[in-house]
């Protein structure tokens, strides 16, 4: 009797389960949810098998018989059961000590996902090998984003057959070879190929990319002149060609980019003058051409740019006075860098000291005046007046500098003592007072700036001992106290006791690790 009752109960349970499964199937059919395509699931599982290690745990969700249900990063057209999106985004860094990455290769099987519209695998860090040629078969693909992996080889020329492609982003890899001319036949809106090892000139076919809104070719080894056809992108807002080997003048045609908001041409081999038509870029927010060989004077038309907030002209051969139109214009300017040119400023210009600037860089500008305070020190975030001939005492200069993160005054003739009030600069990360004539002791209050990462007070006349409060400076990555008159024990806490001995050399009587022990 008990056995028959038990059998009846088990049969009832199985019946209920069967009814439930039928209801689920019926609901999915009613909702138009087709099961995952067998071909697509096979392609995804082949890709999974090519990943030898996955510390992110993303692929651990790829189980079961329906890739359109609960497989992380996979999205389907539910009416057909076809995969339309594969988006695997790894965060920039892991939580805690364990890094997040995927180690393996890109399986060519992904090229069989015929309905795929978005393929995004970013931040895997250890994804090696080439971009499979089979990706050229993804005829429905709109976005191909493979940033921040370790992919190598050349960019497949067959990608030029993906007529629907609008976004191509392969930055932060080790791709080599030249830019495929075939890409110029597409209707791309965004191209980001920065931070690779690409070489050669920009293909002339890129002049056909009239729909471009974003172009980043930075941090490569591209050569030749900047093509004049780049001024023919009517919708372009961002242009970054920095850190390449482009040579010749800046084409005046770039001044026709009426929608441009950011133009970065830093660290190339550009010559001649800044185009006088620069004032035509009415929407420009950022203009950066540092570390080239540009000469001549700053165009007066630069002062017409009412939206420009960041200007970096450093590391060139620019000379002459700054035009009055620039001094009195640029109403929203926040960041100015004129360092290391052939300017003869003599003094810190009033038009700079009286502006509400957050970043001021005037290193190597032949300033020969005394150290004068700024009108709005409370908003300055970065200040670099190094490599000049500044005189005067340092004491009052720190007054009200509550948010300064970088302060660089090295290689001047500044005297006086480091004030106790320096602790008020609570956000300071980098302080360089080296190669001056500063005297007195190191204030103990300096140890209260726990954000400090770089400290250099070498080659001065500073005396006394090193404060014990330095034990709180645990973020310090670089420090130098050499060539002063310091004496006593070096703080025996990390990182001060593991810096190289050269950081403490040529003082009176410093002792303790990394130097010989104190007697």
């Amino acid at each position: 009797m008990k056995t028959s009752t038990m059998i009846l109960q088990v049969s009832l349970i199985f019946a209920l389960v069967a009814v439930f499964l039928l209801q689920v199937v019926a609901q999915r059919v009613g909702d138009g949810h087709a099961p995952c395509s067998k071909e697509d699931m096979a392609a995804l599982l082949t890709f999974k098998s090519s990943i030898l290690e996955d510390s992110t745990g993303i692929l651990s969700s790829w189980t079961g018989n329906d890739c359109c249900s609960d497989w992380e990063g996979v999205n389907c057209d539910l009416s057909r059961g076809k995969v339309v999106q594969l988006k695997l985004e790894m965060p920039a860094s892991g939580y805690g000590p364990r890094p997040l990455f995927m180690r393996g290769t890109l399986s060519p099987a992904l090229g069989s996902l015929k309905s795929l519209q978005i393929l995004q695998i970013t931040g895997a860090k250890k994804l090696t090998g080439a971009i499979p040629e089979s990706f050229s078969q993804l005829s429905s693909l709109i976005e191909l984003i493979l940033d921040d992996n370790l992919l190598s080889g050349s960019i497949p020329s067959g990608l030029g057959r993906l007529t629907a492609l609008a976004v191509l982003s392969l930055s932060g890899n080790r791709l080599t070879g030249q830019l495929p001319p075939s890409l110029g036949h597409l209707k791309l809106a965004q191209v980001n190929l920065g931070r690779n090892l690409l070489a050669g000139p920009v293909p002339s076919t890129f002049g056909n990319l009239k729909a471009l809104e974003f172009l980043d070719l930075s941090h490569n080894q591209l050569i030749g002149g900047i093509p004049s056809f780049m001024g023919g992108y009517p919708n372009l807002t961002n242009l970054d060609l920095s850190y390449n080997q482009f040579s010749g003048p800046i084409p005046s045609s770039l001044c026709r980019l009426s929608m441009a908001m950011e133009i970065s041409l830093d660290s190339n081999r550009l010559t001649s003058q800044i185009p006088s038509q620069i004032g035509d870029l009415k929407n420009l927010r950022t203009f950066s051409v540092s570390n080239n060989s540009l000469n001549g004077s700053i165009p007066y038309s630069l002062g017409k740019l009412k939206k420009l907030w960041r200007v970096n002209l450093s590391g060139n051969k620019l000379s002459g006075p700054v035009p009055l139109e620039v001094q009195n214009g640029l109403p929203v300017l926040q960041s100015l860098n004129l360092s290391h040119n052939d300017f003869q400023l003599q003094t810190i210009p009033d038009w700079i000291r009286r502006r509400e600037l957050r970043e001021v860089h005037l290193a190597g500008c032949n300033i020969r005046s005394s150290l004068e305070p700024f009108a709005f020190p409370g908003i300055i975030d970065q200040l670099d007046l190094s490599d000049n001939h500044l005189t005067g005492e340092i004491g009052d200069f720190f007054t009200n500098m509550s948010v300064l993160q970088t302060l660089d005054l090295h290689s001047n003739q500044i005297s006086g003592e480091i004030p106790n009030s320096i602790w008020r600069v609570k956000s300071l990360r980098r302080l360089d007072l080296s190669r001056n004539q500063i005297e007195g002791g190191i204030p103990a209050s300096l140890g209260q700036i726990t954000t400090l990462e770089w400290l250099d007070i070498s080659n001065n006349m500073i005396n006394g001992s090193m404060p014990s409060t330095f034990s709180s400076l645990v973020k310090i990555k670089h420090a130098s106290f050499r060539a002063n008159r310091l004496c006593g024990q070096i703080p025996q806490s990390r990182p001060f006791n593991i810096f190289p001995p050269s950081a403490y050399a040529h003082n009176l009587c410093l002792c303790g690790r990394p130097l010989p022990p104190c007697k």
Side-chain angles (χ1 to χ4, degrees):
M1 190 71 170
K2 289 182 179 180
T3 301
S4 59
T5 302
M6 185 177 297
I7 293 174
L8 181 62
Q9 290 174 339
V10 171
S11 300
L12 181 60
I13 291 173
F14 275 112
L16 291 172
V17 170
V19 170
F20 174 75
L21 292 175
L22 287 172
Q23 288 176 338
V24 170
V25 171
Q27 183 178 1
R28 286 196 171 183
V29 172
D31 293 342
H33 183 146
C36 176
S37 161
K38 293 182 179 179
E39 295 80 5
D40 286 6
M41 187 162 68
L44 293 175
L45 290 176
T46 302
F47 165 71
K48 180 180 179 180
S49 67
S50 72
I51 302 301
L52 306 179
E53 186 177 4
D54 173 24
S55 69
T56 69
I58 292 176
L59 299 183
S60 63
S61 68
W62 289 19
T63 59
N65 296 321
D66 190 357
C67 66
C68 296
S69 177
D70 299 325
W71 282 31
E72 186 174 348
V74 178
N75 290 301
C76 297
D77 177 348
L78 298 181
S79 64
R80 299 182 298 133
K82 300 293 290 183
V83 176
V84 294
Q85 294 184 6
L86 176 58
K87 301 178 70 173
L88 306 179
E89 301 178 66
M90 270 63 61
S93 60
Y95 298 98
R98 187 178 182 183
L100 298 180
F101 62 87
M102 287 185 182
R103 183 170 62 88
T105 58
L106 282 176
S107 172
L110 292 178
S112 64
L113 297 173
K114 302 300 184 183
S115 298
L116 197 64
Q117 298 174 6
I118 297 178
L119 174 54
Q120 178 176 358
I121 303 176
T122 57
K125 302 181 183 67
K126 298 185 179 182
L127 201 60
T128 59
I131 298 173
E133 291 284 348
S134 63
F135 283 14
S136 303
Q137 302 170 15
L138 298 171
S139 57
S140 299
L141 201 64
I142 299 173
E143 298 182 12
L144 177 59
I145 305 174
L146 303 173
D147 301 326
D148 299 315
N149 299 298
L150 281 179
L151 300 174
S152 57
S154 59
I155 299 173
S157 60
L159 296 182
R161 297 197 296 269
L162 303 180
T163 55
L165 196 65
V167 176
L168 176 63
S169 191
L170 309 175
S171 67
N173 287 288
R174 294 179 177 176
L175 299 173
T176 55
Q178 299 193 9
L179 299 171
S182 60
L183 297 180
H185 303 309
L186 302 176
K187 297 180 180 179
L188 292 165
Q190 297 183 33
V191 174
N192 186 354
L193 305 177
R195 294 180 291 122
N196 280 290
L197 300 171
L198 300 170
V202 178
S204 59
T205 56
F206 275 40
N208 301 324
L209 299 175
K210 302 299 184 182
L212 266 185
E213 300 173 6
F214 182 99
L215 177 60
D216 186 345
L217 302 177
S218 65
H219 294 269
N220 280 291
Q221 301 169 11
L222 301 175
I223 61 172
I226 295 176
S228 59
F229 61 67
M230 285 189 174
Y233 300 145
N235 301 315
L236 195 70
T237 61
N238 293 71
L239 175 63
D240 193 346
L241 304 179
S242 60
Y243 294 90
N244 279 287
Q245 299 174 27
F246 289 116
S247 56
I250 300 174
S252 59
S253 61
L254 294 188
C255 299
R256 297 201 300 265
L257 297 172
S258 59
M259 300 299 292
M261 293 189 291
E262 296 186 13
I263 294 180
S264 299
L265 308 176
D266 306 289
S267 298
N268 280 286
R269 299 174 179 176
L270 301 176
T271 56
S272 192
Q273 302 183 5
I274 298 172
S276 59
Q277 303 94 329
I278 189 73
D280 294 341
L281 298 171
K282 302 300 184 183
N283 287 299
L284 200 62
R285 271 75 163 173
T286 296
F287 182 61
S288 191
V289 292
S290 67
N291 299 313
N292 283 286
S293 296
L294 300 172
N295 55 46
S297 58
I298 300 174
Y300 75 90
S301 66
L302 189 72
K304 297 180 180 180
L305 301 179
K306 297 182 179 181
K307 298 180 181 180
L308 192 64
W309 69 270
R310 181 175 181 267
V311 178
N312 188 350
L313 309 179
S314 65
N316 283 287
K317 300 176 181 178
L318 299 171
S319 59
V322 177
L324 289 175
E325 291 83 355
V326 174
Q327 296 183 29
N328 299 325
L330 306 178
V332 298
L333 187 65
Q334 295 284 300
S335 175
L336 177 66
N337 194 336
L338 303 179
S339 297
H340 300 295
N341 278 283
D342 292 335
F343 296 120
Q344 304 290 328
L345 295 186
Q346 300 300 320
T347 63
I348 303 174
D350 286 344
W351 69 272
I352 293 178
R353 288 196 307 108
R354 294 173 181 173
R355 277 182 178 260
E356 297 185 46
L357 296 174
R358 295 188 179 276
E359 299 178 5
V360 179
H361 299 264
L362 299 176
C365 284
N366 290 295
I367 300 174
R368 299 177 180 273
S369 64
S370 60
L371 194 60
E372 299 180 65
F374 283 70
F376 300 95
I379 66 171
I380 294 178
D381 181 64
Q382 297 182 22
L383 180 60
D384 186 356
L385 301 176
S386 64
D387 200 19
N388 282 293
H389 305 277
L390 288 165
T391 59
E393 296 200 354
I394 196 172
D396 296 333
F397 193 70
F398 291 98
T399 304
N400 298 322
M401 281 192 174
S402 57
V403 299
L404 181 56
Q405 291 193 34
T406 299
L407 179 58
D408 194 342
L409 301 176
H410 84 263
S411 300
N412 281 287
Q413 300 165 24
I414 300 169
S415 58
E417 299 184 9
I418 303 174
N420 288 321
S421 59
I422 194 172
W423 66 269
R424 294 175 180 169
V425 195
K426 295 180 180 179
S427 302
L428 194 62
R429 293 185 178 181
R430 182 185 179 108
L431 177 62
D432 194 340
L433 304 177
S434 64
R435 300 186 181 277
N436 279 286
Q437 300 170 11
I438 298 172
E439 303 174 306
I442 303 174
S445 60
L446 187 59
Q448 298 179 35
I449 309 178
T450 55
T451 54
L452 208 57
E453 298 175 2
W454 177 290
L455 174 62
D456 195 337
I457 57 173
S458 63
N459 292 276
N460 281 286
M461 297 181 286
I462 299 172
N463 55 41
S465 60
M466 296 180 62
S468 60
T469 54
F470 274 21
S471 60
S472 301
L473 303 180
V474 295
K475 293 184 179 180
I476 286 279
K477 299 174 183 176
H478 170 88
S480 181
F481 305 90
R482 63 179 289 127
N484 279 289
R485 299 174 180 175
L486 296 169
C487 195
Q489 187 177 47
I490 296 169
Q492 294 300 288
S493 58
R494 284 179 176 262
F496 293 97
N497 61 351
I498 60 171
F499 282 134
S502 58
Y504 305 100
H506 305 295
N507 277 283
L508 289 181
C509 51
L510 284 176
C511 58
R513 288 186 302 172
L515 299 182
C518 299
K519 297 182 180 179

